[in-house]
Amino acid sequence: MWRLESDWNSPNRLLSNPVEYYFPNEYKKKVEEILNLDSEGRPFRMLVFRGSPKTCRRSSRLIEEMEQDRTEEKILHAPLLRADYYLNIVDWGKNNVVAVALGSEVYLWNGNNGRIHKLEQTIPGNHYPTSLAWSENAKTMAIGFSNSELQLWDAETSQMIRSLEGHRKRVGSLSWNRNCLTSGSYDRSIINHDVRARTSSTSCLQVHTAEVCGLKWSRECNLLASGGNDNTVYIWDASNMKSSKFLHRFNDHHAAVKSLAWCPYQYKTLASGGGLQDRCIKLWNLQTGKCINSIDTSAQIRGLEWNRHRKEILSGHGYSLTHQETNLCIWKYPSLSKVWELNRQVSKVLYLSQNPDGSTVVSAGLDETLRFWKVLWTTQDQQFEFR
């Protein structure tokens, strides 16, 4: 399903960093062995990293700078990537493997060796994955589906472990808390599953009045944030999940809240991002229950990722009510003053995820690509750049 795009009419050619080279014969044979056929019987060619066409056309001066920085823009072509605001179908695990749902299939790209693997699923009919989440130790992959099914997969053997029950409609959001998997659904419910127990469901929370499209456990694993299509954010205490009694309810957003991110260095600080009719990033102090700051970004917020090395947060954007075409931005914490933005011709962002060491983010775009951005900062000015 992931295709290798050819350059200059050479089917096995690619660009990287951005020096061009050819596949080793052994790897080429391996690729050919795992070719799939499309609907017309033509073979797909698996995609590997290549430099972007724009990178290839840059001047030699810029190319030399990129090589000196040892960073590059990398692109994975991902056909059938669903452009659905309410789904969460890209996740980068601590094993350095990116999971992405393309159409009805889930593919895994290994960041250590570049290998691509497809999970052999057994979902009948026209159902498809609607959420993906690696466990904290990256040994298990959770997959939610459009038919309300929720599955656990062994990452090493690529075998399905079990199915979890409880939802009645699509499962669009997932978040792990050690041995607890929390799932949110179009049926408006949040279910906590103890994956070690035979009967996994331990509690069901039903306070959202519309689809639950965002879930995120805090790094300390004691607080859960949930966002919904009812424009509301709820905060839950892990020690009191069975009563449906929440700690806080924030209804300051004016559109669905999918993007949630806990600050990695400021205890009990949460960032939330609203949809097209809201467009705001809001920072919440969970000790006081108050909004620390808010900024109108002028565009739908599709994803939020904190920088683990500096007090800044990255936002990925979709549609805008203006003609502004900013798709990635960096904001200073807690002022939310804009540090950097990417407004060149790159497709609108659908999903965002961050690699294990926090040096790289992947953005899934409306143009059916996964773009990998290397984050740089210098000791002189500590300013970030993306390539």
Side-chain angles (χ1 to χ4, degrees):
M1 194 63 89
W2 287 348
R3 300 183 183 179
L4 167 64
E5 287 207 344
S6 60
D7 293 280
W8 305 308
N9 299 320
S10 175
N12 298 319
R13 199 166 193 163
L14 58 88
L15 298 176
S16 178
N17 198 27
V19 179
E20 58 173 298
Y21 62 93
Y22 290 90
F23 282 123
N25 290 333
E26 182 179 348
Y27 183 72
K28 180 181 176 182
K29 292 178 181 178
K30 197 70 175 179
V31 172
E32 293 174 347
E33 290 175 1
I34 56 176
L35 292 179
N36 295 315
L37 298 179
D38 63 15
S39 60
E40 298 180 5
R42 297 173 300 191
F44 282 131
R45 285 175 290 184
M46 306 298 284
L47 173 78
V48 295
F49 273 143
R50 62 171 175 84
S52 73
K54 293 182 181 180
T55 301
C56 302
R57 294 192 297 266
R58 288 175 180 169
S59 68
S60 59
R61 179 181 61 82
L62 290 179
I63 290 175
E64 290 172 358
E65 289 177 0
M66 288 177 63
E67 291 176 339
Q68 183 177 1
D69 287 339
R70 301 186 64 82
T71 185
E72 59 191 355
E73 177 182 328
K74 302 178 181 181
I75 299 178
L76 224 56
H77 192 59
L80 303 182
L81 180 69
R82 293 185 183 275
D84 192 327
Y85 174 84
Y86 300 99
L87 307 188
N88 293 276
I89 52 175
V90 176
D91 194 31
W92 200 333
K94 290 185 178 180
N95 54 359
N96 201 23
V97 175
V98 178
V100 57
L102 302 178
S104 61
E105 308 290 349
V106 173
Y107 288 84
L108 308 178
W109 175 82
N110 191 314
N112 297 319
N113 54 34
R115 293 177 182 172
I116 299 170
H117 178 71
K118 183 178 76 172
L119 293 183
E120 298 298 333
Q121 301 164 117
T122 57
I123 295 294
N126 296 322
H127 302 295
Y128 53 89
T130 50
S131 55
L132 302 172
W134 286 106
S135 62
E136 293 177 9
N137 60 11
K139 293 183 178 180
T140 306
M141 162 66 66
I143 308 175
F145 289 89
S146 58
N147 66 343
S148 80
E149 189 162 350
L150 178 56
Q151 296 179 354
L152 300 181
W153 286 71
D154 187 301
E156 294 183 358
T157 64
S158 297
Q159 299 294 319
M160 192 182 79
I161 302 171
R162 61 183 297 190
S163 293
L164 306 177
E165 299 178 350
H167 288 297
R168 301 183 305 277
K169 296 183 179 180
R170 73 178 181 191
V171 181
S173 53
L174 297 168
S175 185
W176 285 88
N177 179 359
R178 299 189 177 96
N179 294 309
C180 173
L181 174 63
T182 303
S183 56
S185 171
Y186 188 81
D187 64 16
R188 301 174 293 177
S189 69
I190 300 171
I191 298 180
N192 291 300
H193 309 265
D194 186 339
V195 299
R196 301 166 299 179
R198 186 170 185 178
T199 303
S200 67
S201 178
T202 59
S203 63
C204 182
L205 310 173
Q206 294 187 341
V207 295
H208 281 283
T209 58
E211 179 173 11
V212 181
C213 50
L215 287 172
K216 192 73 68 174
W217 279 99
S218 66
R219 292 171 64 89
E220 295 77 19
C221 300
N222 62 328
L223 295 176
L224 172 69
S226 64
N229 199 23
D230 53 5
N231 311 346
T232 306
V233 177
Y234 287 93
I235 306 299
W236 310 87
D237 190 322
S239 64
N240 190 27
M241 299 291 284
K242 294 186 178 181
S243 66
S244 290
K245 185 177 181 180
F246 49 83
L247 285 178
H248 301 286
R249 177 178 61 193
F250 304 130
N251 53 12
D252 296 27
H253 285 289
H254 300 288
V257 183
K258 168 188 174 181
S259 303
L260 300 166
W262 291 94
C263 181
Y265 36 78
Q266 189 70 48
Y267 182 62
K268 289 189 176 181
T269 297
L270 175 75
S272 61
L276 184 58
Q277 299 302 318
D278 180 77
R279 309 173 302 280
C280 288
I281 297 174
K282 296 183 182 295
L283 301 176
W284 306 95
N285 184 325
L286 276 305
Q287 291 180 310
T288 64
K290 303 295 184 180
C291 182
I292 302 171
N293 207 347
S294 178
I295 185 73
D296 188 337
T297 67
S298 301
Q300 179 187 57
I301 300 169
R302 290 277 194 157
L304 294 171
E305 291 289 340
W306 287 91
N307 184 352
R308 302 173 199 168
H309 311 289
R310 188 171 171 84
K311 292 186 176 181
E312 293 175 341
I313 188 169
L314 172 72
S315 58
H317 299 276
Y319 295 100
S320 172
L321 294 179
T322 68
H323 296 293
Q324 186 175 351
E325 291 297 329
T326 298
N327 297 315
L328 289 170
C329 290
I330 294 179
W331 312 84
K332 187 177 290 293
Y333 169 80
S335 67
L336 289 182
S337 58
K338 188 181 294 184
V339 177
W340 172 91
E341 67 179 8
L342 177 70
N343 53 15
R344 60 190 179 88
Q345 295 301 314
V346 174
S347 179
K348 295 176 175 60
V349 173
L350 299 176
Y351 314 101
L352 271 185
S353 193
Q354 188 173 174
N355 77 333
D357 65 12
S359 65
T360 306
V361 292
V362 58
S363 64
L366 191 62
D367 59 354
E368 296 186 332
T369 63
L370 300 183
R371 295 175 181 263
F372 292 73
W373 307 90
K374 187 73 173 179
V375 184
L376 299 179
W377 62 96
T378 65
T379 56
Q380 289 83 4
D381 56 15
Q382 292 292 298
Q383 291 299 305
F384 286 84
E385 296 180 70
F386 276 73
R387 291 286 189 260

